[in-house]
Amino acid sequence: MNASRTSIPAGPRALQFLRHETRFHHEPRRASYGENIVYTDWRRDNYIHAIQEALRQRGVTARCIGVEDDSLPLDNRNRIQAAFDGAALLDVAQDAMRQRMVKSTEEIEVIKHGARIGDLGGEAIKAAIREGISEYEVALIGTEAMVHEIARTFPDSEIRDTWVWFQPGINTDGAHNWATTRKLQRGDILSLNCFPMTSGYYTALERTLFLGEPDERSLELWDVNVEVHRRGLELIKPGAVCKDIAAELNEIYVDRGLLANRTFGYGHSFGVLSHYYGREAGLELREDIDTVLEPGMVVSMEPMITVLDGQPGAGGYREHDILVVNGSGAENITKFGFGPEHNIIPC
């Protein structure tokens, strides 16, 4: 049961007759592709009563109920089991995750628009960068540009959850730090992160920039991360194994003495995803994931290194593109330029 809305379901689905929505929210009833029951939450177990009533109306006796144990609290699982004591609870989390990994044509179309809108947000931010402007002001400019374009492209959709993280200088160390009132200064390394949300579908654009010419060590570090990024883009194709991609990219950092500066995995899945929902754990470009890429999967390539404050070239270096795996390779749907040739802002 999911309170979120998807545009069009990916592949065959079992009948979805209930959407969990409390406090008289009717949006799922108006916007969903399937049937809904809207109910109040004046009692904690009203959700379970709604399920029971939906089954009763259809003359259905529950004998096996699919649950996702990776996100279902034990107390709630016990309540469901007690309410349906004649039914077996079957963990479908892994199967559901594998289904979500491969996107439908319609989902990919939404994601492509998201990548395009992220690029527009990035261009608005790039045009706004100047000495003396605050991080949060730049973030607002990028967010506004994306929200307007989402409304233009999807005029009948809800407008929610689009955001920007933008940091200069020391605040780039984590890439995903919230915007502050710090003002941009000449020589700052900059981290641009745009996240447009369309109908629950998350996309992203992330780039390293500099306000003015970077020093020699900063430029060297940036070039290494761009090298890893370019190679990673080449490696994403059908038949590639997630852990093998990570292992090969690690070797570039090892050769440059920078593996210890790497901060997280090299990429992840996209789809119904945001700061409220988790990514698909089985589709991460990490050393412990043996998933084989196949057509219809959508993944990012996003290497990052961080150099601690006080060291030469201090800051976080990060690039991020989104790729759609197809039958012959992968289509890069991010068009915003990356690297020193594109993202040194004169001042």
Side-chain angles (χ1 to χ4, degrees):
M1 307 305 174
N2 192 335
S4 306
R5 189 184 84 192
T6 58
S7 298
I8 293 180
R13 300 284 179 111
L15 175 65
Q16 298 186 30
F17 55 81
L18 180 77
R19 293 298 167 99
H20 180 191
E21 189 69 11
T22 63
R23 301 174 192 248
F24 301 101
H25 290 178
H26 289 266
E27 194 273 342
R29 176 183 59 83
R30 293 194 303 268
S32 175
Y33 62 86
E35 299 178 54
N36 290 268
I37 292 177
V38 178
Y39 62 92
T40 66
D41 67 347
W42 64 272
R43 197 168 66 181
R44 288 182 183 273
D45 58 355
N46 273 5
Y47 176 51
I48 293 175
H49 286 301
I51 298 174
Q52 290 172 321
E53 178 61 17
L55 294 175
R56 187 192 65 77
Q57 291 177 6
R58 288 159 179 78
V60 174
T61 299
R63 301 198 180 281
C64 184
I65 299 176
V67 295
E68 296 190 47
D69 279 340
D70 60 350
S71 58
L72 179 64
L74 182 58
D75 283 350
N76 288 344
R77 196 183 204 281
N78 290 339
R79 288 191 185 100
I80 295 171
Q81 186 67 82
F84 301 96
D85 57 358
L89 301 190
L90 177 66
D91 181 18
V92 298
Q94 295 302 309
D95 290 333
M97 179 179 68
R98 283 190 289 271
Q99 183 185 56
R100 292 191 300 263
M101 286 182 187
V102 179
K103 306 304 177 186
S104 68
T105 300
E106 294 84 0
E107 287 180 297
I108 290 172
E109 185 67 17
V110 172
I111 292 169
K112 285 183 175 181
H113 276 297
R116 176 183 63 81
I117 292 167
D119 288 346
L120 291 175
E123 293 294 348
I125 288 172
K126 189 173 179 180
I129 291 172
R130 66 179 187 276
E131 283 189 86
I133 192 171
S134 299
E135 291 181 32
Y136 82 90
E137 294 177 290
V138 176
L140 289 173
I141 289 168
T143 301
E144 183 178 17
M146 292 190 291
V147 168
H148 284 313
E149 183 60 18
I150 291 170
R152 189 194 69 81
T153 306
F154 302 95
D156 298 322
S157 66
E158 72 276 10
I159 302 299
R160 58 184 294 182
D161 292 342
T162 292
W163 80 103
V164 168
W165 286 323
F166 179 82
Q167 305 89 21
I170 189 174
N171 292 344
T172 65
D173 59 353
H176 292 173
N177 295 327
W178 292 104
T180 75
T181 57
R182 184 189 186 280
K183 297 183 183 299
L184 276 60
Q185 303 171 18
R186 181 189 298 266
D188 272 344
I189 184 173
L190 309 172
S191 183
L192 177 161
N193 304 265
C194 292
F195 303 97
M197 288 284 292
T198 54
S199 298
Y201 281 78
Y202 153 98
T203 49
L205 168 71
E206 300 173 356
R207 288 289 183 262
T208 295
L209 306 92
F210 270 82
L211 181 54
E213 288 293 328
D215 60 70
E216 183 178 353
R217 179 56 176 164
S218 295
L219 188 59
E220 179 183 355
L221 292 164
W222 194 5
D223 282 337
V224 170
N225 207 54
V226 166
E227 178 187 356
V228 173
H229 186 60
R230 290 187 190 279
R231 181 55 182 152
L233 295 175
E234 295 171 350
L235 292 174
I236 295 177
K237 54 190 174 183
V241 181
C242 291
K243 65 182 181 182
D244 293 344
I245 294 173
E248 179 167 338
L249 297 181
N250 280 346
E251 288 304 313
I252 300 177
Y253 284 137
V254 169
D255 289 344
R256 307 298 189 276
L258 291 170
L259 185 62
N261 299 87
R262 209 196 100 193
T263 55
F264 44 72
Y266 288 103
H268 58 77
S269 65
F270 283 81
V272 180
L273 176 75
S274 80
H275 42 307
Y276 299 129
Y277 316 120
R279 304 192 296 243
E280 310 303 348
L283 189 50
E284 300 253 345
L285 303 182
R286 301 169 62 96
E287 295 85 348
D288 57 347
I289 303 298
D290 58 7
T291 299
V292 178
L293 299 185
E294 61 181 272
M297 290 181 172
V298 181
V299 295
S300 60
M301 174 48 58
E302 48 178 300
M304 180 176 177
I305 53 175
T306 298
V307 176
L308 296 180
D309 189 40
Q311 297 181 2
Y317 300 78
R318 179 175 176 83
E319 313 294 343
H320 178 297
D321 288 25
I322 301 173
L323 297 96
V324 178
V325 181
N326 54 41
S328 59
E331 177 187 2
N332 189 338
I333 60 175
T334 299
K335 307 303 179 185
F336 193 100
F338 61 84
E341 61 269 37
H342 294 287
N343 292 326
I344 296 176
I345 311 299
C347 62

